[in-house]
Amino acid sequence: MDEKKEMEQEPSEEEILAEEQVPEEEKPPAEEVPGEGAPGEEASEEETADGEAATEGTPAEESADTAEEASEKKSFFGRKKEKKDKRDEQIADLTDKLKRQLAEFENFRNRTDKEKSQMYSIGASSVLEKILPVLDSFERGLKTIPEEQKEDPLASGMEMIYKQLVTALTDLGVTPIEAVGQEFDPNLHNAVMHVDDEELGENVVAEEFQKGYKYRDAVLRHSMVKVAN
């Protein structure tokens, strides 16, 4: 019985040859032990982990981080430049306003100085114009004094006062207008008479009835004259 069992258990040579001729693909898959993966899968997982670890420190990622940092710095400096540009615009606007105000103030000062000068000239002219009749009276009074009485104290005193008054007016800028023998000028002379005289030229002042005066460049009083031809 034992020999019979052993013979049944041992495979025959034909069975061994048949098994060897069966292709590997048709062989039944090996039984998988629960909880254990295939060797190939473990290797792939390890390779994936190693690949991920290697990918974390690649130059591509480092260059990407550098580019991102550079863009952030550029945006920061760009914002700073924009702020600086706004300040520059404000400074330029304030500078322009200041220049305009200074120009307006300069024009105002010049206009005020001119108005003050004109007001002073107008005031001085009105005062000097009232003094001129006094000067005329002195001149007429001195003309009426005979030659033999000009050495009298009264006549000499009048002449001294007249000369003092003329000097004061001259220092103030009052000058007489030349008339006799000059060509008639309507801006300086006031013609009240006309005479025909062959000895004189055309439109020449023949006689002066009242002396005219100028205050600086303005006519204080026109000369009253007689014009020939």
Side-chain angles (χ1 to χ4, degrees), residues 161-180:
I161 295 171
Y162 170 74
K163 288 180 179 179
Q164 187 178 1
L165 183 58
V166 170
T167 302
L169 292 174
T170 303
D171 293 340
L172 291 173
V174 178
T175 55
I177 297 173
E178 296 182 1
V180 178

Side-chain angles (χ1 to χ4, degrees), residues 26-27 32 40 132 157 227:
E26 295 180 0
K27 288 182 180 181
E32 296 180 0
L132 293 179
V227 182

Side-chain angles (χ1 to χ4, degrees), residues 51-220:
E52 289 178 355
T55 310
E56 288 178 357
T58 55
E61 289 189 355
E62 291 178 359
S63 62
D65 295 339
T66 307
E68 188 175 356
E69 291 177 359
S71 63
E72 289 179 358
K73 289 180 179 179
K74 187 176 181 182
S75 62
F76 172 75
F77 286 112
R79 290 194 298 271
K80 190 174 181 181
K81 188 176 180 182
E82 289 177 359
K83 291 181 180 178
K84 187 176 180 181
D85 291 341
K86 289 181 180 178
R87 288 197 296 270
D88 291 340
E89 289 178 0
Q90 291 178 354
I91 291 170
D93 292 338
L94 293 174
T95 304
D96 185 57
K97 289 180 181 178
L98 180 61
K99 288 181 179 179
R100 289 177 181 274
Q101 289 180 355
L102 288 174
E104 290 178 359
F105 177 74
E106 186 68 22
N107 293 332
F108 171 76
R109 187 173 63 181
N110 293 334
R111 186 170 59 252
T112 304
D113 292 341
K114 188 176 180 180
E115 290 176 355
K116 286 181 179 179
S117 178
Q118 289 177 351
M119 291 174 64
Y120 176 79
S121 298
I122 292 170
S125 299
S126 62
V127 173
L128 294 172
E129 192 175 357
K130 292 179 180 179
I131 295 175
L132 293 179
V134 178
L135 189 63
D136 295 337
S137 299
F138 271 101
E139 289 178 351
R140 284 194 296 266
L142 290 173
K143 286 180 181 179
T144 58
I145 298 175
E147 289 292 333
E148 62 274 7
Q149 294 181 0
K150 284 185 179 180
E151 298 297 330
D152 293 345
L154 182 60
S156 60
M158 287 179 61
E159 189 172 358
M160 289 175 62
I161 295 171
Y162 170 74
K163 288 180 179 179
Q164 187 178 1
L165 183 58
V166 170
T167 302
L169 292 174
T170 303
D171 293 340
L172 291 173
V174 178
T175 55
I177 297 173
E178 296 182 1
V180 178
Q182 302 293 323
E183 186 178 357
F184 175 76
D185 186 357
N187 295 321
L188 302 175
H189 308 135
N190 182 19
V192 294
M193 289 184 65
H194 180 269
V195 63
D196 293 330
D197 192 345
E198 295 179 357
E199 295 180 359
L200 298 175
E202 188 176 358
N203 289 330
V204 174
V205 176
E207 186 179 353
E208 183 181 50
F209 300 112
Q210 188 180 46
K211 187 179 291 186
Y213 292 92
K214 290 175 64 178
Y215 173 62
R216 297 180 179 176
D217 295 331
V219 176
L220 190 60

